[in-house]
Each structure stands twice: as structure tokens, then as C-alpha cells.
């Protein structure tokens, strides 16, 4: 997220995102998506004495009463619980003005996701028309560590245009969808045609993506997990020499990091990004079968935490081709934000 903002409610979408989660597949251009996953949440959600010691219980804003308070209660109470980083971005008066404008015409809100990850509880809501969305992240002490308020649009034609090939998820075991779905609340990629249907997948245990302090790649449950070809095809691009990042430090010069691109025919190319340095098990020109080992999951490129970025595009270049909605062979898998699902059998 950027720290600049316009003085309208539309600017709030870019302004109030201090709980930056995991930046991964963006380019250096502002027009391209900047991936956000959970590695930096804990640091963003540092305890605030004002919240933990000074707030009255009856004024405490929680995920359960946040929307009622925003609609009918005290916006000042909400603002008081925002992290210092958020308060630096926007003043109380600006927050009141922009949210009041955004809420015009809204009769009701429906909660669409809620999950806990790395010491934050994240909730999101859509209004009754499905054209406005709000996402809020709460630390364990109820401090509001992140807030996203923005309009929602859909791309119905491409949402319904599935790949001709049926793909299998390219990893074994149980996984968690951090970004995935057909709106920007569920999938920040959705705003960008080149990565609209991309997925960011992490492995979790006990609502955390890492063990210990999370300072080393090996602390992350996803790091080093084997990756497999999602369908039959021919390898058309390989990169294998990009160093893995220290968690929280990103390499914007090589956004995709180590990558394997496979041509599956029908104008469809799977792009598997952020592989572990030196782990790629195929070379350009290889023919692969569905389920063949292609490498290991890593933390290379514009990524701050080990995770899988996977998409199918209508060309081999992740930044110039158009992302395509994936037809999954296993229709029971729900690869949308906040869901855990079973990949390939172990």
C-alpha cells in the first residue's frame, strides 16, 4: 500500500493499509499490483498503551460491532483505536468526511470473510449492492492495524471464461488461501488484468504462517515445499538463480523471482513464481506431465514471505499477458480468501 492519499473516499483504499501483509508479485510500476501477505502484520500491530490501558470496555471497537459503529456510532471511537501509523496517514476530520461520503446510500452490510492470521483478526464486508467494500484488521489488543475502504467492480465476462484445461493444485497437503476470489476484498490482484485471477497461497498451523520469531525462511511452513506441474505441457521459461529474501525484505528488481512457466496449449500458460533458489527441477524445452516435480516453494523476488503465487495467463509474460480464471479438476476445492483446502494427496 502507498502512504499517499487523496482527500476523497476513493483515496482511502490506498491510504489505510498499514498492516501490509506480504508484498510479492508487483513490479516497480505503481500501476501493477503489490502483493500483500501476512509476514509484517505482527510488527504493524504493536501494542498501544492508549488502547490496552485507556479504552473503556463499553467503547471498545471489535470486529463484531465495527460496522454498526461506523454506520451509527462514534467515528471518533474508531479513530482512537487506529494504530499510530494509520493516524499519521489520515486525520480524524478527514476520516469522518471520507467515511461519511462513502457510506451514502448504504442500507446494510454483509460480512463476507473473517479469519485470524499471525496475531491479526481480519474481517471484510460488502454493502447490499455489492459495489462497496470494507476490510479491517484488528490486533489482539483490539488496535485497528489496517483498514481498506473502496468501491468494488466486477468483470463478469472474464469471471465466467474458464480455462479450457482442467488444472490440479500444484502442491500436496493442506493450504490456506490468503488472496483469491473475484473482487479486490478477496483478491487484491483482481484490480489488474494481468494478474486478476492469481492466487497467493500459504501453509499455516494454529493460525500462523510461521513458527518461532519468523526471522528466517525456514521458520515458514511453506518454505521448501515441493511444487508440481498443474497440467501437461512444455516448459517455456525458467529462472533459478534469484536469492531467497530475508523475510520482510523484498526484491523489486526481480518481481517474480525464480519462476517456471509452462505452455499447456490452447493459449494457456501456468506461471509459478517465487521458487526457492536452485530448486527448479526442469529446464526450458522440457515436456512435463501433470504431477511432475518442477521445484520447491521459496521466497525469491518481490516477496516478503514464503508463499505460492500461481496463475494461468494467455501468454508467458506475467506482466503483459492477461490472467485467466482457472478451471480446477477438483471442484470441491474452494480457492477463495480465508479458506483452507486440501491439495494433492500426500
Amino acid at each position: 500500500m502507498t502512504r499517499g492519499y487523496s482527500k476523497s473516499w476513493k483515496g482511502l483504499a490506498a491510504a489505510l493499509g498499514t498492516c501490509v501483509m506480504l508484498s510479492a508479485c508487483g513490479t516497480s510500476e505503481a500501476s501493477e499490483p503489490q502483493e500483500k501477505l501476512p509476514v509484517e502484520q505482527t510488527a504493524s500491530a504493536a501494542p498501544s498503551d492508549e488502547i490496552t490501558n485507556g479504552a473503556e470496555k463499553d467503547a471498545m471497537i471489535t470486529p463484531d460491532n465495527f460496522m454498526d459503529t461506523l454506520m451509527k456510532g462514534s467515528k471518533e471511537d474508531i479513530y482512537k483505536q487506529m494504530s499510530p501509523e494509520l493516524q499519521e496517514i489520515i486525520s480524524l476530520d478527514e476520516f469522518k468526511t471520507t467515511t461519511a461520503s462513502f457510506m451514502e446510500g448504504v442500507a446494510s452490510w454483509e460480512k463476507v470473510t473473517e479469519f485470524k492470521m499471525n496475531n491479526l483478526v481480519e474481517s471484510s464486508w460488502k454493502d447490499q449492492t455489492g459495489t462497496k467494500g470494507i476490510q479491517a484488521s484488528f490486533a489482539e489488543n483490539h488496535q485497528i492495524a489496517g483498514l481498506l475502504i473502496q468501491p468494488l467492480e466486477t468483470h463478469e465476462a472474464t469471471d465466467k471464461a474458464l480455462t479450457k484445461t482442467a488444472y490440479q493444485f500444484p502442491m500436496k497437503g493442506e493450504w490456506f488461501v490468503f488472496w483469491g476470489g473475484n473482487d479486490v476484498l478477496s483478491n487484491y490482484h483482481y484490480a489488474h488484468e494481468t494478474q486478476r485471477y492469481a492466487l497467493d497461497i500459504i501453509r499455516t498451523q494454529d493460525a500462523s504462517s510461521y513458527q518461532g520469531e519468523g526471522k528466517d525462511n525456514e521458520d515458514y511452513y511453506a518454505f521448501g515445499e515441493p511444487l508440481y506441474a498443474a497440467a501437461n505441457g512444455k516448459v517455456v521459461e525458467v529462472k533459478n538463480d534469484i536469492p531467497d529474501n530475508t523475510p520482510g525484505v523484498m526484491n523489486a528488481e526481480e518481481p517474480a523471482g525464480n519462476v517456471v512457466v509452462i505452455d499447456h496449449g490452447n493459449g494457456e500458460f501456468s506461471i509459478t513464481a517465487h521458487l526457492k533458489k536452485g530448486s527448479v527441477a526442469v529446464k526450458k524445452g522440457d515436456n512435463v506431465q501433470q504431477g511432475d516435480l518442477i521445484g520447491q516453494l521459496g521466497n525469491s523476488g518481490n516477496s516478503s514471505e514464503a508463499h505460492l503465487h500461481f496463475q494461468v495467463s494467455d501468454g508467458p509474460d506475467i506482466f503483459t499477458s492477461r490472467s485467466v480464471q482457472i478451471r480446477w479438476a477438483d471442484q470441491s476445492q474452494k480457492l477463495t480468501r480465508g479458506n483452507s483446502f486440501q491439495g494433492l494427496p500426500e
Side-chain angles (χ1 to χ4, degrees), residues 47 87 96 106 130 144 172 182 213 273 287 299 320 330:
Q87 291 181 1
K96 287 180 176 179
V106 177
I144 300 171
K172 295 180 178 180
N182 289 354
E213 297 183 359
N287 291 309
N299 186 29
T320 60
D330 184 350

Side-chain angles (χ1 to χ4, degrees), residues 1-3 13-24 34-45 83 85-86 89 117-118 120 122 135 137 145-147 178-179 188 248 250 302-305 337:
M1 288 285 180
T2 62
R3 283 186 173 267
L16 300 185
T18 305
C19 68
V20 173
M21 298 169 198
L22 177 144
S23 297
Q34 295 291 325
E35 262 182 36
K36 307 157 192 79
L37 276 131
V39 69
E40 296 180 8
Q41 290 184 347
T42 306
S44 302
S83 69
E85 291 85 357
L86 290 186
I89 293 170
M117 185 59 58
N118 294 357
L120 286 184
E122 183 177 289
Q135 197 172 80
S137 299
L147 183 61
F178 199 85
W179 291 114
Y188 82 94
M250 295 162 284
N302 203 29
S303 169
S304 62
E305 171 180 339
R337 182 165 169 81

Side-chain angles (χ1 to χ4, degrees), residues 24-275:
C25 288
T27 71
S28 58
E29 300 177 12
S31 62
E32 293 292 342
Q34 295 291 325
E35 262 182 36
K36 307 157 192 79
L37 276 131
V39 69
E40 296 180 8
Q41 290 184 347
T42 306
S44 302
S48 164
D49 289 340
E50 179 181 3
I51 300 302
T52 56
N53 298 326
E56 297 295 332
K57 287 185 178 180
D58 59 358
M60 185 69 70
I61 309 302
T62 70
D64 291 334
N65 64 21
F66 176 81
M67 289 308 304
D68 283 342
T69 305
L70 190 62
M71 287 279 286
K72 300 175 288 188
S74 169
K75 292 180 177 61
E76 186 170 354
D77 286 344
I78 294 175
Y79 189 81
K80 286 178 180 178
Q81 280 186 219
M82 287 184 188
S83 69
E85 291 85 357
L86 290 186
Q87 291 181 1
E88 286 179 7
I89 293 170
I90 192 167
S91 71
L92 173 60
D93 286 343
E94 288 167 338
F95 176 68
K96 287 180 176 179
T97 300
T98 55
T99 52
S101 174
F102 185 80
M103 305 292 273
E104 288 180 3
V106 177
S108 62
W109 294 91
E110 176 187 2
K111 183 176 285 187
V112 291
T113 61
E114 182 168 292
F115 61 88
K116 182 178 181 180
M117 185 59 58
N118 294 357
N119 302 314
L120 286 184
V121 174
E122 183 177 289
S123 301
S124 61
W125 301 262
K126 290 182 182 179
D127 78 333
Q128 76 280 0
T129 67
T131 61
K132 295 182 179 182
I134 294 179
Q135 197 172 80
S137 299
F138 287 78
E140 291 182 330
N141 61 357
H142 299 294
Q143 185 181 80
I144 300 171
L147 183 61
L148 177 69
I149 296 177
Q150 69 177 66
L152 303 177
E153 62 175 329
T154 58
H155 301 276
E156 293 186 8
T158 54
D159 287 352
K160 295 176 181 178
L162 301 179
T163 57
K164 295 179 180 179
T165 300
Y167 295 84
Q168 66 179 14
F169 184 73
M171 305 191 79
K172 295 180 178 180
E174 184 173 332
W175 294 86
F176 181 87
V177 183
F178 199 85
W179 291 114
N182 289 354
D183 61 63
V184 293
L185 285 182
S186 301
N187 191 359
Y188 82 94
H189 299 101
Y190 190 77
H192 303 270
E193 187 177 38
T194 58
Q195 298 183 39
R196 179 157 293 150
Y197 304 107
L199 296 164
D200 286 340
I201 307 291
I202 59 177
R203 173 157 274 178
T204 63
Q205 292 185 25
D206 300 322
S208 179
S209 61
Y210 61 87
Q211 58 188 338
E213 297 183 359
K215 294 182 178 180
D216 300 317
N217 285 317
E218 289 76 13
D219 292 341
Y220 290 80
Y221 299 118
F223 188 75
E225 287 292 316
L227 289 158
Y228 303 93
N232 300 347
K234 183 177 182 178
V235 178
V236 294
E237 182 182 346
V238 165
K239 190 169 288 187
N240 195 28
D241 60 354
I242 307 300
D244 289 286
N245 304 318
T246 299
V249 179
M250 295 162 284
N251 180 0
E253 297 300 316
E254 293 283 352
N258 299 309
V259 65
V260 173
V261 181
I262 302 173
D263 181 353
H264 301 285
N266 300 313
E268 297 174 3
F269 299 78
S270 68
I271 300 172
T272 306
H274 308 313
L275 278 71

